[in-house]
Structures are given as C-alpha cells and as structure tokens.
Amino acid sequence: MNNSITPDYLMFVLALFFIIGVFTTKFSSRFGVPALILFIAIGMLAGSDGFGLLYFDNPSYAQFIGIFALVVILFEGGLSTKWTTIKPVVFPSLVLATVGVLITTFIVAIAATFILDVTWLEGLLFGAIVGSTDAAAVFAALKGQNIKNRLAATLEAESGTNDPMAMFLTLALIQLIVSDEQGIWNIIGVFFLQMGLGLLFGLLLGRIASWAINKINLDSGGLYPILAMGFAILTYSVAANLNGSGLLAVYVAALVIGNSDLTFRHTIFHFNEGFAWMMQLLMFVILGLLVFPSQLFTFEIILNGFLLSFILILVARPLAVFVSTLGFDYSWQEKTLISWAGLRGAVPIVLATFPLIAGLENAQLFFNVVFFVVLTSALIQGATISPFAEKLGLTGPKKVAPIHTLELVSIGKANAEIVEYTVSDETPILGKSLVEIDFPPEVLINAIIRDEELVTPYGETTIQTNDILYILVSKKRKKELKKTLGENGLSDNN
C-alpha cells in the first residue's frame, strides 16, 4: 500500500467502497449476478489499473483481512444453521468436505500439471487451492432461495467444513515444495490432530460462549453481539495457535451458540449478519485490489483459466460429488445440483496468497489463474443455481421469514421477550380462534399483521396462513410456547 496515502483519503475511499458496495447488491439480486463478482469489480476498478484510487499489492495484508473476514462469515453462517436441519446430512457433508476435496484436488492437479506446465507437486498445490467450495459464496447464493432444505443444508454444511481441509492441504504442499523433510505419514498425522483440536475447541468454547452470553448481565444489549464476536475470534486464535484448525473451530462454535437458547438472540444474529456482509464486501474489494487486470486478462491466463474452470466445474466437482455420495440417499438430480452449486469464491483467492508470501516460483501465475477460475465459477454457476434447481425439480415451497426474538430490556431487569412468528401451512394453531388455543400462562398476543395491515387481536380472531404474530412471553414459558406453535425451540429459528 502506498505510504503517502493519508488517513483522511483512506477513510474517503473506504466510505465509497461501502456505499457503492451496498448499492451494487440491488443489481446483484435484480440481474442474478453474484454479489462477490460486483465487489471484486469495485476493487479492480479502484486499483491502479482502473481509476487509480488506491494502489494495493501486499498479499500479507490481504491474507490477514481475508482470514479475519472468513472467521466472521463462518461464524454468521454457523449461527444461522439449524442443527435439526443439518443433522441428517452431517455424514455426507463431511465426506464431501474431505474425500470430495481430495478427489477434486487430484483431478485438477493432473490438468494443472500439463496446462500450466508445472511440477506434479505444484499441480497438486493448485488443485488444493481451488479444491474447496466457498462458504461466503454458498451462504450468499442460497440465502432466500427455495432450494429443498436437505440440499441447502448439505451445501452449507460442506462449505462450512471444507475450508479447513483446503487450507491444510495448501500449507502442507507448500511445505513439501520448499522442503522435503516432511513425510506423507507425518502430514496425515498433523491433519487428524488439526481437525480433532478444531472440533474440540469449537465445542468447548461454543459452550463457554453460550453460558457467558446468558449468565453475564451487561448494561447494554448492544454489548452482547460484541461479546459473541469476541468469542468467535478467540475460538479461531486459540485453536490456530495450538495447532488446531481455527476455521473448523469457529464454525463448530457457531453451531453450538446458534442452537442454544440465548438471551438477546435477535440482536446477536442481526449484528453478525450485517458484520458478515461488511467483511464480505471488504474482503472481495481488497482481493480485487490485489489483482491487476492488465496481468489477469491476457490470452494465456484466459485460455488456461477457461480450460481449468471447465475441468473443475464439469469433471472434477461432479466426479467428487458422485463418488463421495455413494451409499447416501441422494438422487442423480440431487447429486447434479450439489455438483453445480459447488461455488468457488474468496477462499481459493485467499489460499492463493500463501504461495505468494512463501515466494514460490509460479506463485503469481497461480494467483492470476485462480482468480480467473473464481470469476468463472461465480458468474456461470452462481447466477444459475436457482433456475437449474427448478429445471431439476428440486425447489421447495417459498420460504417464509423465521421467528425472531425482540428483547424488551436487559435480562435481569425484565424476564420477558416479544416473539415475532410467521404462520405457515404446518402451524398447529392455523384456523383456530384465539380462545380455542391453549396458550401457556404468561403469554399474550399483542398484535397480528395480516396482508400488511394491523389486526387487533381478540378472542374470536382466527389465525390465518402468513399471519405475523407478535407474542409477549416470559422467558420461562418460551419453550412451552414453541411447543404450542409446533416448533422445537428458539434455537432452531434464527
């Protein structure tokens, strides 16, 4: 980064990035272009090959920002993942995240070795870099889509757990390239150690974080999201510093926290959703600044990028999915969609900075080709997931907004909440009048929104589909209320 840039100028450019980035999301949803493409384009246009607003060529800074952003994004993704939804697909998702990544890595490695004219180890390194799907891209692409819950859960669980595998392979292969002292058996042992420690620290710190959020009486509700984010960063750093997988630890901790009965749950979730968007925008813009279009859009990079993208999307990923899901109850249509929805995004670009920092001979070539592969994957696959799912008949009913909790005041001062609940066709109280519903004590429906109009509830008011109920409930009656509404608990609905 240019040392002559003043803090005031940097703040101005940062403000432009955020404002323009937010507005581009409207174009993203309207034209079906993934937001990450537009964020990257902002960075490329702002760089020295574009309008020259900011010169940036420091892969170490980009790597730090990228990893920090991945921690935030994985944490938000884990928080919003229902355990009841992913529990049935845990095993196939883990096989996809491990065996699937290995198969993808080897197939792409064979192609990269010949297409890029590099050594076998360097080809494996390239395959490892692009071997995993990207959590940020997959979470963003699936959010709000009506793809069947089982498939969406498989994709989200896979993308949340395969980043550690790709990072481990990338770092291990760099070590093998720069030094032949590490043996293959030693690497396998390190892998199981990292994943085991990541799982252990994730479970442990997730439980500690849930306990702390509920037990510590803070003066302001706005401090609870910061406390939760502090535990997310702590989980990553503790696991990483003790030779565990920090990314896996963060995702596991987020699953534990998100599926716990939390105070100030709604505040925590919305803060993390906004923070994840901010970090996603910043990460992709920074990665866009790091690449120079004059080096990227050359005939050699475009040709090699297209060839490797073709092999990754149409050969390696489908083979990895179909082999990894053998023995699991997925139809060929479902396997096809899982193959197509294996988006590449920020993770491969962040991983491509490791060879740059290590000073490998073909590091810049790898970075440029990886960047092109990510652009191709996001543009072709990211923009077509929903229509492709419809063609395969894998879309479900339109998703309705989940239950949200609006805390009245800090826990310890008033032990009550207002619950916002959207009535669906499966809701047990549908079609009943309020006097017919056996609500628990200390529960009161304050208001009903029907067809965007306020309905004042009284005894004979009948509950209809898509009604939004605002229910005042004491915390001790919350689980009873959820049983009445046909839900498993607040932890499943955010």
Side-chain angles (χ1 to χ4, degrees):
M1 190 177 293
N2 193 338
N3 292 327
S4 64
I5 294 176
T6 65
D8 292 339
Y9 179 77
L10 191 60
M11 292 284 283
F12 169 73
V13 174
L14 192 62
L16 287 180
F17 285 162
F18 285 140
I19 293 171
I20 295 173
V22 169
F23 282 124
T24 57
T25 59
K26 295 294 292 182
F27 294 99
S28 169
S29 57
R30 179 171 297 180
F31 299 109
V33 179
L36 70 91
I37 291 292
L38 300 178
F39 295 160
I40 287 174
I42 292 170
M44 294 172 70
L45 289 173
S48 56
D49 277 2
F51 296 115
L53 293 177
L54 197 63
Y55 179 84
F56 182 81
D57 66 347
N58 192 313
S60 296
Y61 288 165
Q63 186 183 104
F64 172 77
I65 294 171
I67 291 176
F68 184 84
L70 288 176
V71 169
V72 175
I73 292 165
L74 281 172
F75 188 64
E76 192 272 335
L79 283 179
S80 58
T81 300
K82 304 175 185 178
W83 174 245
T84 52
T85 302
I86 69 166
K87 185 178 179 181
V89 298
V90 164
F91 289 113
S93 299
L94 289 177
V95 175
L96 282 167
T98 51
V99 177
V101 171
L102 282 173
I103 294 173
T104 304
T105 296
F106 277 107
I107 295 174
V108 174
I110 295 170
T113 300
F114 292 99
I115 293 173
L116 301 179
D117 191 23
V118 295
T119 66
W120 171 239
L121 274 179
E122 288 176 319
L124 279 172
L125 175 59
F126 183 89
I129 290 172
V130 299
S132 72
T133 60
D134 182 69
V138 172
F139 290 157
L142 296 181
K143 189 164 286 187
Q145 301 290 346
N146 61 337
I147 294 172
K148 287 186 176 179
N149 287 338
R150 181 167 176 259
L151 293 180
T154 302
L155 290 165
E156 289 180 359
E158 178 202 6
S159 65
T161 54
N162 68 5
D163 292 346
M165 181 70 174
M167 180 171 285
F168 169 80
L169 287 175
T170 299
L171 295 175
L173 286 163
I174 290 175
Q175 285 296 316
L176 284 174
I177 291 171
V178 300
S179 172
D180 58 0
E181 293 180 1
Q182 283 209 70
I184 187 67
W185 294 111
N186 184 45
I187 290 175
I188 293 173
V190 172
F191 168 75
F192 284 106
L193 176 65
Q194 284 195 5
M195 298 305 137
L197 288 175
L199 179 61
L200 175 65
F201 285 121
L203 291 171
L204 178 63
L205 289 171
R207 289 188 179 279
I208 293 174
S210 302
W211 177 87
I213 291 169
N214 284 328
K215 295 300 181 181
I216 298 176
N217 186 12
L218 300 175
D219 293 333
S220 171
L223 293 173
Y224 287 91
I226 300 174
L227 179 63
M229 181 51 61
F231 271 107
I233 300 169
L234 178 68
T235 301
Y236 172 85
S237 59
V238 168
N241 282 301
L242 295 176
N243 297 319
S245 173
L247 295 179
L248 178 61
V250 167
Y251 187 70
V252 171
L255 282 174
V256 173
I257 297 169
N259 287 276
S260 300
D261 197 4
L262 296 178
T263 186
F264 285 92
R265 181 183 185 84
H266 188 57
T267 305
I268 292 170
F269 276 62
H270 272 261
F271 171 87
N272 280 281
E273 183 181 17
F275 194 28
W277 268 110
M278 185 178 76
M279 292 311 302
Q280 188 176 169
L281 193 161
L282 181 62
M283 173 176 61
F284 284 119
V285 168
I286 291 294
L287 295 176
L289 284 169
L290 191 61
V291 71
F292 293 86
S294 59
Q295 299 176 13
L296 180 67
F297 296 112
T298 63
F299 176 76
E300 181 183 7
I301 297 298
I302 292 174
L303 177 61
N304 292 340
F306 266 129
L307 287 173
L308 289 168
S309 296
F310 175 85
I311 292 167
L312 173 64
I313 296 172
L314 298 180
V315 181
R317 171 66 179 177
L319 274 174
V321 169
F322 275 78
V323 171
S324 299
T325 53
L326 285 174
F328 295 109
D329 186 24
Y330 289 94
S331 66
W332 71 265
Q333 293 96 332
E334 291 173 325
K335 293 180 181 181
T336 302
L337 182 63
I338 293 172
S339 301
W340 190 252
L343 300 181
R344 269 59 188 174
V347 172
I349 302 175
V350 172
L351 292 180
T353 63
F354 284 94
L356 286 172
I357 295 171
L360 299 189
E361 180 182 356
N362 292 303
Q364 191 61 54
L365 170 65
F366 281 12
F367 184 84
N368 289 335
V369 177
V370 166
F371 205 100
F372 195 88
V373 168
V374 168
L375 291 179
T376 307
S377 172
L379 277 173
I380 297 176
Q381 294 172 281
T384 56
I385 289 178
S386 187
F388 196 46
E390 291 182 11
K391 289 279 187 182
L392 293 171
L394 298 175
T395 53
K398 184 178 178 181
K399 293 183 178 180
V400 297
I403 292 178
H404 297 302
T405 303
L406 308 176
E407 289 81 10
L408 294 179
V409 287
S410 177
I411 185 171
K413 297 178 182 178
N415 198 23
E417 300 172 0
I418 293 180
V419 173
E420 176 187 333
Y421 179 76
T422 302
V423 178
S424 68
D425 292 333
E426 291 78 29
T427 302
I429 64 173
L430 178 65
K432 295 183 179 181
S433 64
L434 295 184
V435 294
E436 294 175 325
I437 302 171
D438 186 21
F439 280 121
E442 302 176 30
V443 171
L444 177 67
I445 294 184
N446 285 354
I448 299 175
I449 303 298
R450 180 176 298 162
D451 297 327
E452 300 183 359
E453 293 187 359
L454 175 65
V455 175
T456 303
Y458 62 97
E460 300 303 319
T461 303
T462 301
I463 303 299
Q464 299 181 15
T465 304
N466 296 326
D467 279 356
I468 301 175
L469 312 179
Y470 289 90
I471 309 170
L472 178 64
V473 56
S474 66
K475 290 183 182 292
K476 65 181 179 181
R477 301 293 184 182
K478 191 162 50 176
K479 290 184 179 179
E480 296 176 53
L481 172 64
K482 301 301 295 209
K483 290 180 180 179
T484 303
L485 298 175
E487 301 290 342
N488 293 323
L490 270 175
S491 60
D492 296 335
N493 294 282
N494 281 284

